[in-house]
Amino acid sequence: MTVTYFSVLDMERIFVQLCLLLLMFSTEVSKSDSPHQPKEVLVIGGGISGLAAARKLVNHPSQLYDVTVLEARKERYGGRVWTSRKLFKKPIGAETDLGATWINSKEKDNPILAITRKGEIETKTSGPIQLHVPEAGKIFTGDEANKIFTEVFSMMQSAVDRVKATGIDVPLQKAVEDEITRHTFQGDRAIITSILRNHQAVTKADYSAMFFDPVKLFGWNTVVVDGFDQVLDAIVSGLGTEKPLSVSLNQVVRQIHINSDKKKVIVRTKDLTQVEADLVIVAVPVGVLRNEALLFDPVLPGEWYKAMKELGVYQSQKVIVGFSEVFWPTDIGVFTMTTPEGQEPFIQTWFNMQNLVGMPFLIGTLYDEAAVSMEQTPVEELKQQVIKVLGKLFGEDLVSQYNMTTLVRSQWTSDPFTLGSGAYPRTGNVAGIWDTLSPPVCPYIYFAGEHTSLDGMIGAHGAYNSGIRAAEQIINGRCERELKRKQKTKEEKEKKNKKKEDKSPKKDEL
């Protein structure tokens, strides 16, 4: 027998080598088999829906998600939330908001209001509305104005209820006209019908009455005093102990490619770079998706493209004007006026910023054709149009005494990263559209954005909630459950077929 003796030095060397081998083995296990390895998630689009999704994942206590937001714009995130501070001499207030401005205070559990409270961000309510009827030389305020708008709301609700009762969709425009013919007016018929016919949803010939909710129109009376971008900054920077989000600007995504062999998503950008991830959340505006500016490889299911094309895309713009001094009533929050029948409405409604931020600014809103043409109107011509409209409201002689110091406008229609202002339900749409647009295309692609749900088409809080929904689909294992369900269905089908084969009579062997 041969006996081998080891020195103390040899024993130490062997011990070190064994430790190294164990360390290498444990490292490989952690890389490949550990259930706690973070998933790489890319959020395509840094609007409020994408940022909400990223925040939800980053805040998850498991810390299982490594999230990066890819935003196409070079200078900012936020999408259609844009506080344009660079375009103003004293950019300190809500008068710089060219995108989202108003928060619906009547919306139950509004997440935007929750953020402002948690972040101690100041908000204010707009104040009372004043209705002008220039053709009749009348002005209504207080209870008189409230009575008129209450009747308008009642008629719109009645028109929608009648359509829903029949179960047959018609354009909201037709539903309102039918209601006008049958309604017993309490107030001035001409004024009420003018307000109804010039409502931005009613003016669209194909807006669905079945999916229109008048209740969602009321409660938009709160602004973030120092600009809506404070809400975005709170989401990105984090509140309390929340970690900041990782947002990468100037990332124009052109293609989302699924590599099935590697089980990875490859995101390719305009500058020919590519990034790998385990999952992606597509939070891109409906106008961009409909324009197919973002390509999917392989292509998404045909019903997804069909649903996307069936939605309507609306246009809205803002015009922000400032003057040397205030010449309008400072105790009124909103000025609106009727438009004579047959005349194209142009900036009927103006919001008073003086009583909110102490600055002599008014914000006007435009919709559809007027919004589109406004983008192409030369600045000096647009100034004259604004002066003319304000002259109808407050008197030409009065307005002519004051100098317009500022005029800034949004351009969401031509903006390549929005190509419109948002989505709306068209006549004939069915609820199945959102059943198609809201679920993920498993196992890699998830969707967020106001267009992905009917409830999402109600402003910033609707878009925000769609991002939360997409993140929860990931956290709750939506695709994993779907895969198990399909596998179970497949196994049951195979088992059933096998039983049929076993029961079928066999031919005698020769």
Side-chain angles (χ1 to χ4, degrees):
M1 176 192 292
T2 301
V3 180
T4 303
Y5 295 93
F6 294 97
S7 65
V8 173
L9 184 61
D10 290 332
M11 292 295 290
E12 289 180 349
R13 185 179 296 111
I14 292 170
F15 178 74
V16 170
Q17 289 175 343
L18 285 171
C19 288
L20 288 172
L21 285 170
L22 286 171
L23 179 62
M24 290 173 62
F25 176 75
S26 64
T27 301
E28 289 301 316
V29 169
S30 67
K31 284 182 178 180
S32 58
D33 300 327
S34 171
H36 300 295
Q37 182 184 359
K39 288 186 177 180
E40 298 282 346
V41 182
L42 290 177
V43 179
I44 315 301
I48 197 166
S49 61
L51 296 177
R55 172 52 62 199
K56 180 72 175 180
L57 291 175
V58 169
N59 282 2
H60 195 263
S62 69
Q63 298 183 343
L64 279 177
Y65 307 102
D66 187 354
V67 185
T68 301
V69 180
L70 302 182
E71 167 55 43
R73 300 178 192 276
K74 296 179 181 179
E75 71 286 353
R76 67 178 182 89
Y77 50 76
R80 284 163 290 186
V81 177
W82 180 25
T83 304
S84 181
R85 300 183 185 277
K86 291 182 180 180
L87 300 176
F88 295 83
K89 293 181 180 179
K90 296 181 180 180
I92 59 171
E95 80 279 359
T96 63
D97 279 323
L98 278 164
T101 304
W102 301 95
I103 303 173
N104 191 328
S105 62
K106 294 190 181 300
E107 177 73 17
K108 185 179 179 181
D109 301 323
N110 190 318
I112 307 302
L113 280 176
I115 291 171
T116 62
R117 287 193 291 265
K118 189 175 180 180
E120 298 182 344
I121 299 170
E122 185 182 4
T123 62
K124 284 185 180 180
T125 55
S126 59
I129 190 169
Q130 187 177 81
L131 173 64
H132 292 240
V133 187
E135 58 271 22
K138 295 180 179 180
I139 299 176
F140 299 90
T141 57
D143 290 340
E144 286 185 321
N146 289 336
K147 285 180 181 179
I148 292 171
F149 285 105
T150 297
E151 190 165 357
V152 168
F153 170 81
S154 175
M155 291 181 66
M156 199 166 276
Q157 186 67 65
S158 178
V160 170
D161 288 345
R162 287 178 184 275
V163 170
K164 291 181 178 180
T166 67
I168 301 172
D169 197 9
V170 299
L172 181 62
Q173 195 176 89
K174 182 181 186 309
V176 167
E177 289 296 334
D178 289 345
E179 185 63 27
I180 289 173
T181 61
R182 70 170 67 94
H183 182 74
T184 302
F185 287 85
Q186 304 300 313
D188 189 303
R189 179 189 179 99
I191 293 173
I192 291 170
T193 55
S194 176
I195 295 171
L196 280 167
R197 287 169 175 161
N198 287 301
H199 185 276
Q200 64 266 26
V202 177
T203 57
K204 300 198 73 61
D206 62 349
Y207 201 113
S208 166
M210 186 72 72
F211 291 115
F212 182 75
D213 186 353
V215 174
K216 293 176 181 178
L217 298 176
F218 295 83
W220 297 92
N221 62 351
T222 303
V223 300
V224 182
V225 174
D226 198 19
F228 210 104
D229 64 347
Q230 289 184 101
V231 174
L232 295 178
D233 291 343
I235 297 171
V236 173
S237 301
L239 295 170
T241 59
E242 294 176 345
K243 295 191 302 183
L245 300 182
S246 173
V247 181
S248 182
L249 300 178
N250 197 24
Q251 301 294 316
V252 183
V253 175
R254 288 300 187 219
Q255 185 189 56
I256 296 175
H257 169 68
I258 305 301
N259 188 320
S260 299
D261 295 333
K262 296 176 69 175
K263 295 183 178 179
K264 291 283 186 179
V265 183
I266 300 174
V267 174
R268 294 173 175 142
T269 61
K270 185 180 179 181
D271 62 2
L272 304 182
T273 60
Q274 62 183 38
V275 188
E276 284 190 356
D278 297 301
L279 304 169
V280 297
I281 298 175
V282 179
V284 176
V286 61
V288 177
L289 292 172
R290 281 167 57 100
N291 198 45
E292 297 186 8
L294 176 61
L295 301 176
F296 296 88
D297 178 27
V299 296
L300 298 179
E303 57 266 25
W304 185 89
Y305 292 97
K306 182 181 178 183
M308 186 64 63
K309 293 290 186 182
E310 286 182 358
L311 290 176
V313 177
Y314 72 88
Q315 311 297 336
S316 68
Q317 305 291 356
K318 283 186 178 177
V319 175
I320 302 176
V321 293
F323 289 86
S324 53
E325 295 178 56
V326 176
F327 54 79
W328 53 88
T330 56
D331 59 336
I332 300 297
V334 183
F335 304 97
T336 190
M337 64 178 172
T338 60
T339 300
E341 190 172 351
Q343 184 176 321
E344 191 71 24
F346 180 79
I347 321 185
Q348 289 176 282
T349 302
W350 293 86
F351 301 94
N352 178 15
M353 292 291 105
Q354 173 67 34
N355 68 342
L356 295 174
V357 299
M359 300 285 285
F361 280 82
L362 294 166
I363 297 180
T365 54
L366 305 88
Y367 297 94
D368 300 320
E369 291 182 9
V372 174
S373 63
M374 185 274 290
E375 287 195 19
Q376 310 301 324
T377 304
V379 174
E380 289 303 317
E381 183 180 338
L382 182 58
K383 283 183 178 179
Q384 294 305 312
Q385 291 176 353
V386 168
I387 292 295
K388 185 177 180 179
V389 169
L390 294 179
K392 287 183 178 181
L393 273 172
F394 308 115
E396 294 179 4
D397 292 340
L398 177 63
V399 175
S400 64
Q401 297 176 36
Y402 296 87
N403 295 324
M404 185 185 295
T405 59
T406 306
L407 187 147
V408 179
R409 56 184 165 182
S410 61
Q411 294 181 304
W412 299 119
T413 303
S414 58
D415 186 327
F417 303 129
T418 56
L419 297 178
S421 300
Y424 69 91
R426 296 169 64 190
T427 307
N429 283 168
V430 295
I433 284 180
W434 297 284
D435 293 336
T436 298
L437 295 175
S438 61
V441 175
C442 293
Y444 304 107
I445 304 176
Y446 295 75
F447 299 95
E450 43 89 27
H451 59 279
T452 60
S453 75
L454 180 61
D455 288 336
M457 299 181 188
I458 48 175
H461 68 271
Y464 180 96
N465 285 335
S466 76
I468 298 298
R469 184 207 65 235
E472 288 177 342
Q473 289 173 342
I474 293 174
I475 293 168
N476 297 332
R478 169 73 179 260
C479 281
E480 287 83 351
R481 294 199 312 273
E482 181 69 14
L483 181 62
K484 287 180 181 178
R485 185 189 66 79
K486 287 183 177 180
Q487 184 63 31
K488 185 178 179 180
T489 302
K490 181 181 177 182
E491 290 174 356
E492 289 176 349
K493 186 176 181 180
E494 290 175 350
K495 189 176 180 180
K496 190 175 181 180
N497 290 337
K498 191 174 185 304
K499 283 184 178 181
K500 286 183 178 179
E501 291 176 1
D502 291 341
K503 289 181 179 180
S504 62
K506 296 181 180 180
K507 294 181 179 180
D508 294 336
E509 294 183 1
L510 297 175

